[in-house]
């Protein structure tokens, strides 16, 4: 079954990723007057709608930053909620201009899906969530456990690798959506649920008594999460890539949503380049000279977006950890704006 769907995906990717199929995405987006951005179906901290349909989250802010850079208006977006399984076809078919949905960058996704990852918005890894009452302290104590997992994810594959690699038996109980997966776990259909650690923290908040559940210490994989665009449009690839870099570089340069107007008056050469008061770097991307100003005004720098959505200023309370800047002990690093 799995093989059939992979072959099908590959054929579809090849058919749709033909050069020129969606070559001028920037023009398409401008003509439409709106960015179409693929997100999750609801994951607090990353992409989550409230009861009025307003989306917030770190992944959502990446979409908003791209819209701000193009339209100087972060609301010119149509959010398209996608399951793990459907996310890539939506990108391939042109239904969305970019995917910003807690998606792990892997070799096969970079190649056979006909897509490009534009960077890493969140360095994650896979973990396990169990009920405290189970009295398990380590994933290595999970031999013979039943495990709830979402289909169409790297999670499913890592789970198999981890149990095989540690000579442990397990029973998989797989679901297409996150809600079903976590409801099944909560109702006791499985002993443990596995997913990217950030998503475990997010989903735990939705459980009846979050404090009854604990994330085990093992992180069993690398899950670099980032936005994706289609192959075949280098300008669009550059735009989505540099919007994230602008957010990371802005943090490194000390440019914040609050001090933006002050910083924009700076005489320093790197500030003048970033704000477009010297040179035309934004225009080289197909945007405007004030592209970085627009981005930071709309969503803040990377650290601000992180804190507000998943970090210290959010309900998730996730530590910066690996997602701290490279010169502050983490691995977030953006090439220079010059
Ligand atoms: N990062 C992994 C997992 C992504 C994933 O879909 N995780 C689930 C686990 S919570 C999720 O986000 N579901 C939300 C949804 O289906 O809307 C991948 O790219 O395959």
């Amino acid at each position: 079954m799995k093989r059939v769907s992979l072959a099908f995906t590959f054929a579809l990717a090849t058919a749709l990723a033909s050069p020129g199929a969606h070559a001028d995405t920037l023009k398409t987006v401008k003509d439409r007057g709106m960015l179409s951005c693929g997100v999750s179906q609801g994951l607090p901290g990353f992409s989550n709608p409230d009861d009025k349909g307003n989306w917030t989250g770190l992944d959502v802010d990446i979409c908003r930053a791209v819209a701000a850079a193009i339209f100087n208006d972060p609301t010119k977006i149509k959010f398209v909620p996608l399951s793990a399984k459907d996310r890539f076809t939506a990108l391939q078919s042109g239904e969305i201009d970019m995917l910003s949905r807690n998606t792990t960058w892997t070799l096969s996704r970079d190649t056979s899906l006909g897509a490009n990852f534009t960077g890493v918005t969140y360095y994650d890894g896979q973990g396990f969530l169990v009920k405290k009452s189970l009295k398990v302290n380590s994933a290595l104590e999970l031999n013979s456990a039943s495990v709830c997992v979402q289909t169409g994810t790297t999670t499913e594959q890592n789970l198999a690798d981890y149990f095989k690699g540690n000579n442990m038996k397990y029973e998989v109980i797989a679901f297409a959506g996150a809600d079903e997966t976590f409801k099944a776990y909560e109702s006791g259909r499985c002993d443990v649920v596995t997913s990217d650690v950030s998503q475990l923290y997010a989903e735990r908040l939705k459980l009846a008594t979050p404090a009854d559940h604990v994330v085990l210490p093992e992180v069993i994989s690398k899950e670099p999460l980032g936005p994706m665009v289609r192959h075949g449009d280098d300008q669009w690839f550059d735009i989505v890539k540099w919007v994230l870099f602008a957010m990371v570089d802005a943090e490194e340069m000390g440019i914040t949503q609050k001090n933006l107007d002050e910083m924009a008056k700076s005489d320093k050469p790197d500030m003048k380049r970033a704000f477009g008061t010297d040179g035309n770097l934004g225009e080289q991307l197909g945007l405007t000279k004030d592209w970085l100003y627009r981005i930071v005004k709309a969503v803040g720098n990377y650290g601000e977006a992180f804190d507000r959505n998943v970090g210290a200023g959010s309900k998730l309370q996730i530590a910066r950890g690996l997602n701290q800047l490279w010169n502050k002990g983490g691995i977030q690093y953006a090439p220079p704006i010059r």
Side-chain angles (χ1 to χ4, degrees):
M1 186 60 204
K2 223 179 208 165
R3 229 168 254 159
V4 171
S5 73
L6 251 184
F8 173 71
T9 308
F10 184 75
L12 192 68
T14 317
L16 291 169
S18 57
H22 303 280
D24 198 345
T25 311
L26 179 61
K27 184 173 182 308
T28 308
V29 170
K30 279 184 171 168
D31 290 350
R32 196 195 295 124
M34 194 170 277
L35 173 74
S36 175
C37 207
V39 289
S40 80
Q41 293 169 304
L43 191 62
F46 288 86
S47 46
N48 205 40
D50 65 13
D51 44 19
K52 293 192 191 80
N54 297 319
W55 287 84
T56 52
L58 186 60
D59 288 344
V60 161
D61 278 349
I62 302 298
C63 308
R64 293 212 185 280
V66 173
I70 298 169
F71 298 113
N72 201 14
D73 182 349
T75 66
K76 294 208 163 162
I77 306 188
K78 180 184 175 213
F79 290 105
V80 180
L82 296 164
S83 72
K85 194 172 126 283
D86 297 336
R87 60 188 147 170
F88 304 120
T89 16
L91 183 65
Q92 289 157 350
S93 70
E95 185 189 355
I96 55 174
D97 306 307
M98 59 181 281
L99 179 72
S100 185
R101 185 206 172 281
N102 54 303
T103 295
T104 307
W105 187 346
T106 66
L107 188 153
S108 57
R109 286 176 176 175
D110 227 354
T111 52
S112 65
L113 289 178
N116 280 323
F117 281 84
T118 63
V120 179
T121 47
Y122 188 104
Y123 289 94
D124 209 341
Q126 185 173 333
F128 297 95
L129 183 76
V130 293
K131 295 194 178 74
K132 280 184 184 161
S133 59
L134 205 66
K135 298 206 176 340
V136 166
N137 297 311
S138 158
L140 293 167
E141 294 167 35
L142 292 175
N143 193 15
S144 300
S146 51
V147 189
C148 280
V149 67
Q150 200 169 329
T151 49
T153 57
T154 47
T155 322
E156 218 180 358
Q157 302 160 346
N158 298 323
L159 172 67
D161 289 0
Y162 184 74
F163 275 75
K164 188 162 191 257
N166 286 295
N167 286 318
M168 301 195 302
K169 288 204 185 70
Y170 68 110
E171 183 198 352
V172 188
I173 307 182
F175 299 90
D179 277 355
E180 304 157 79
T181 311
F182 282 83
K183 280 203 178 99
Y185 161 72
E186 194 167 26
S187 72
R189 278 194 65 191
C190 44
D191 305 311
V192 51
V193 58
T194 183
S195 115
D196 297 345
V197 174
S198 67
Q199 290 143 47
L200 292 178
Y201 281 112
E203 293 288 348
R204 181 167 64 172
L205 289 178
K206 295 195 203 161
L207 301 177
T209 323
D212 287 353
H213 306 265
V214 61
V215 176
L216 296 177
E218 286 84 2
V219 176
I220 67 163
S221 69
K222 288 189 290 189
E223 306 293 325
L225 311 177
M228 255 176 139
V229 294
R230 277 179 297 278
H231 277 169
D233 185 347
D234 285 349
Q235 183 194 37
W236 185 244
F237 183 28
D238 284 343
I239 289 174
V240 179
K241 191 163 40 177
W242 277 94
V243 165
L244 171 62
F245 291 159
M247 290 170 67
V248 175
D249 279 328
E251 180 179 14
E252 192 179 330
M253 294 165 80
I255 304 168
T256 67
Q257 224 168 5
K258 215 168 163 192
N259 70 17
L260 189 60
D261 287 298
E262 211 45 51
M263 293 296 216
K265 290 184 213 144
S266 167
D267 275 341
K268 287 195 182 157
D270 60 340
M271 291 286 181
K272 291 182 86 167
R273 272 196 304 276
F275 285 108
T277 48
D278 184 20
N280 70 340
L281 292 172
E283 288 171 347
Q284 291 181 31
L285 283 168
L287 301 170
T288 53
K289 285 185 180 177
D290 65 346
W291 66 294
L292 181 137
Y293 181 96
R294 292 178 172 195
I295 292 168
V296 180
K297 187 157 184 80
V299 301
N301 66 38
Y302 175 79
E304 291 177 296
F306 186 100
D307 284 352
R308 183 175 62 240
N309 292 304
V310 298
S314 76
K315 283 189 185 154
L316 275 74
Q317 292 287 314
I318 299 177
R320 272 300 281 274
L322 281 182
N323 293 294
Q324 185 54 268
L325 293 182
W326 65 282
N327 56 1
K328 291 195 176 152
I331 57 173
Q332 273 295 0
Y333 182 106
I337 299 174
R338 66 149 65 251

